[in-house]
Amino acid sequence: MVFDRHNGRITHTLFKHLFDFLPSDIAVLLNDTKVIKARVFGKKQSGGEVEVLLNAPLQDNLYSVYIKGRVKVGTKLFFDEKMEAEIRELKEDGTRVVAFFQAEKALHTQALFDVLEKIGHIPLPPYIKREDTDEDSVDYQTVFAKEQGAVAAPTASLHFTDAMFEALKKRYETHFLTLHVGAGTFKPVEAEHIHDHVMHSEIYAIPSLTCKRIESPKNILAVGTTVTRTVEYFARTKEPMGKCDLFLHPQNPPLRVNHLLTNFHLPKSTLIMLVASFIGIEKTLELYEEAVKEKYRFFSYGDAMLIV
């Protein structure tokens, strides 16, 4: 679905015709994060089964994780490849702080990612009610994925095939940034007033050339909500790396991104509110009603919407 804000026109087309709707003088920004096999199964000392979803590195060999199964501080978890985890802290938001070891040696970020690549599973979104398959290792990864660390894919970019991406680079100025998507991206807004919602934070880094482009007057197409939030966070803070916790909504609209390519999102999510920050709540609801009527597919493996 293409929505032109200038004339109000809605167009239904195929993704391969994307370039027909983009201005020729824009810069295209993409997120080169790579999804890791962040879901891993193990056992407690008692023999009970446990499931761990890595959320984000903290410092040293400490990590923020989600755990299915009751645990307490000091509990040890055991996995294949002689990997162990020890619960260090239980957070009120439902996350747990754990330390990872392999053969009693502390596992720092890259070493942990290497182990997870052997024993972990692709962390499909919670609304996909099936186990991951070998196909997901390819399908739930962008063709330009490079920097390991995400536990969810920047799904607007999944529409690009190798051929389409090469065509994009030939036609438009393209730049990358990295935002490691965390599991918090699926957390619904439960506060009665959106200003009271506590936004999750995610690790990001923006190369100097991309920073210069963001600071220039050139119009930008953000491929996905992750790119949008990272660009807008930089526009407000001028920090090229750190943790992004920006919540975009109709009362906090974008300052820098001119065009948005995104998927269709869950109700009550921060992602659908980001869309509304561009076009308002009423127009967002109108477009989503149109999408339902036209039988668009929603969520991570779904269809796309372009706002110009």
Side-chain angles (χ1 to χ4, degrees):
M1 177 190 288
V2 180
F3 175 60
D4 189 323
R5 287 178 286 179
H6 304 290
N7 57 28
R9 184 180 298 131
I10 298 172
T11 305
H12 302 292
T13 184
L14 297 175
F15 191 79
K16 65 181 180 181
H17 301 307
L18 171 67
F19 304 153
D20 296 342
F21 297 91
L22 294 178
S24 58
D25 60 343
I26 60 170
V28 179
L29 270 60
L30 307 116
N31 185 1
D32 65 359
T33 189
K34 187 173 184 178
V35 180
I36 60 172
K37 291 186 176 179
R39 190 167 167 238
V40 63
F41 298 91
K43 291 185 181 297
K44 293 186 276 189
Q45 286 167 302
S46 63
E49 294 186 348
V50 69
E51 177 185 331
V52 175
L53 175 66
L54 186 70
N55 186 39
L58 298 175
Q59 73 268 351
D60 300 324
N61 65 324
L62 295 179
Y63 300 83
S64 167
V65 304
Y66 290 92
I67 298 177
K68 277 188 182 178
R70 295 182 66 178
V71 294
K72 57 186 179 181
V73 173
T75 298
K76 288 189 176 182
L77 311 176
F78 301 89
F79 307 89
D80 290 341
E81 294 290 317
K82 297 181 180 179
M83 187 173 82
E84 298 178 13
E86 182 179 335
I87 314 300
R88 296 289 177 85
E89 189 178 351
L90 308 179
K91 296 280 194 178
E92 289 187 6
D93 63 0
T95 60
R96 280 56 179 121
V97 176
V98 307
F100 280 105
F101 303 88
Q102 186 179 40
E104 300 185 359
K105 182 181 178 182
L107 277 175
H108 299 288
T109 305
Q110 189 56 56
L112 176 62
F113 290 172
D114 291 343
V115 176
L116 291 177
E117 186 63 30
K118 296 178 182 177
I119 67 173
H121 295 260
I122 290 291
L124 293 177
Y127 45 74
I128 296 181
K129 305 295 186 183
R130 62 171 175 79
E131 296 301 313
D132 63 309
T133 66
D134 290 342
E135 286 77 15
D136 290 310
S137 296
V138 177
D139 294 341
Y140 200 58
Q141 202 78 268
T142 68
V143 297
F144 43 78
K146 180 183 176 186
E147 302 293 338
Q148 286 183 300
V151 302
T155 53
S157 296
L158 296 180
H159 298 281
F160 285 97
T161 61
D162 287 309
M164 187 87 173
F165 180 53
E166 290 303 315
L168 177 79
K169 289 191 293 184
K170 288 179 181 177
R171 191 172 300 213
Y172 299 98
E173 178 186 333
T174 58
H175 295 276
F176 288 105
L177 54 79
T178 305
L179 182 129
H180 293 313
V181 194
T185 192
F186 302 114
K187 183 182 179 183
V189 176
E190 295 170 340
E192 187 171 343
H193 301 286
I194 55 177
H195 297 286
D196 296 332
H197 175 71
V198 179
M199 189 67 176
H200 62 283
S201 64
E202 294 159 319
I203 297 168
Y204 77 93
I206 311 174
S208 58
L209 283 177
T210 307
C211 290
K212 288 179 181 177
R213 178 46 72 215
I214 296 171
E215 291 179 316
S216 78
K218 188 160 187 161
N219 285 344
I220 286 174
L221 167 68
V223 179
T225 58
T226 63
V227 171
T228 304
R229 288 193 299 107
T230 308
V231 169
E232 292 296 326
Y233 190 79
F234 176 77
R236 289 158 171 77
T237 66
K238 304 305 179 187
E239 295 288 341
M241 63 179 60
K243 287 189 174 182
C244 173
D245 61 356
L246 180 65
F247 182 17
L248 292 171
H249 51 75
Q251 284 79 52
N252 187 27
L255 304 177
R256 183 64 186 90
V257 175
N258 313 97
H259 311 283
L260 171 66
L261 177 69
T262 187
N263 281 22
F264 292 95
H265 303 292
L266 282 164
K268 298 182 180 179
S269 66
T270 58
L271 307 177
I272 198 170
M273 292 184 189
L274 183 148
V275 174
S277 77
F278 279 81
I279 59 177
I281 294 173
E282 288 185 11
K283 181 56 69 174
T284 301
L285 293 175
E286 179 187 325
L287 293 180
Y288 270 55
E289 286 178 9
E290 176 84 2
V292 170
K293 186 179 78 174
E294 295 291 328
K295 294 183 168 58
Y296 277 79
R297 292 165 298 177
F298 277 49
F299 317 146
S300 296
Y301 278 159
D303 295 311
M305 177 168 68
L306 174 67
I307 298 173
V308 294

